Amino acid sequence: MLSKNLEKALNAQIRHEAESSQIYLAMASWAEVQGLEGVAQFMYAQSNEERQHMLKLVRYVNERGGHAIVSDLKEPAVKFGSFKSMFETLLKHEVFVSQTINTLVDISLSEKDYATHNFLQWYVAEQIEEEAQARTILDKIKMIGDDKAGLYLFDSDIRNFTSVGKPSEN
Ligand code: FEO
């Protein structure tokens, strides 16, 4: 049985994951209207993944005798300036999510809830991967700079990121 404190913290995480999904959906839509098909595809896939992260938490909270709450969400930005700044925003957001996961791990340990601690390890591993992926993408973007041909190649290259090295949950 989850403690009230942990239930509340896990519900806050459900909200973070749902907001992540909305942010990446907004990024997908923005990239799509910019004509960046590959980037849009990548972001739609990221948005789906975040929804899966949220659902996994919902099921867990309910399974452990809590009540997963579906709450209202912060409105995401609709424009992202450049695709470089969009990926910087993505990385920053993932670093934030990693911190929230770490806080949850801390709480689960302090309450000796080892089941939740074990459950959270999947998220810890996922965050390492998501941050690394965002950094790899940003490194590529920095290499391209303002080169239009490079951007075209990048847009086609990024499609590979959606199917490689990600947990198969979609
Ligand atoms: Fe579910 Fe990318 O944090």
Side-chain angles (χ1 to χ4, degrees):
M1 183 91 181
L2 286 174
S3 73
K4 281 289 158 205
N5 184 39
L6 204 42
E7 179 181 348
K8 194 173 161 210
L10 288 166
N11 268 315
Q13 193 65 32
I14 286 171
R15 187 182 175 143
H16 292 319
E17 302 291 347
E19 285 179 346
S20 302
S21 181
Q22 293 295 88
I23 291 167
Y24 299 156
L25 182 59
M27 288 178 173
S29 179
W30 180 78
E32 195 160 53
V33 297
Q34 304 297 311
L36 295 170
E37 279 301 320
V39 175
Q41 195 178 305
F42 174 82
M43 287 299 177
Y44 280 126
Q46 287 299 113
S47 175
N48 276 340
E49 274 197 23
E50 298 302 347
R51 181 173 162 78
Q52 295 306 319
H53 297 176
M54 176 201 66
L55 283 173
K56 206 174 159 81
L57 279 156
V58 167
R59 303 301 302 273
Y60 180 76
V61 168
N62 290 341
E63 191 179 272
R64 293 288 315 282
H67 181 190
I69 302 299
V70 177
S71 67
D72 62 345
L73 303 174
K74 211 190 308 175
E75 199 179 338
V78 290
K79 291 178 185 170
F80 298 92
S82 66
F83 80 118
K84 179 171 173 243
S85 79
M86 183 177 81
F87 278 101
E88 280 166 349
T89 302
L90 182 146
L91 174 59
K92 219 167 112 189
H93 185 72
E94 288 302 328
V95 170
F96 163 74
V97 172
S98 297
Q99 286 164 351
T100 63
I101 294 290
N102 287 344
T103 303
L104 278 173
V105 172
D106 281 347
I107 299 171
S108 68
L109 275 182
S110 71
E111 293 192 4
K112 295 188 168 40
D113 184 334
Y114 298 116
T116 300
H117 182 266
N118 185 51
F119 168 78
L120 289 170
Q121 295 313 301
W122 184 89
Y123 287 84
V124 171
E126 178 71 6
Q127 284 312 119
I128 292 171
E129 206 175 286
E130 295 211 330
E131 280 190 37
Q133 180 176 256
R135 288 195 176 93
T136 304
I137 292 172
L138 270 173
D139 285 345
K140 281 178 187 264
I141 292 171
K142 280 173 196 155
M143 277 193 279
I144 296 165
D146 292 327
D147 181 28
K148 288 270 187 289
L151 177 57
Y152 179 81
L153 284 176
F154 171 83
D155 188 55
S156 118
D157 186 37
I158 196 172
R159 287 166 208 257
N160 299 327
F161 276 86
T162 53
S163 55
V164 176
K166 301 298 293 177
S168 53
E169 62 195 338
N170 293 325

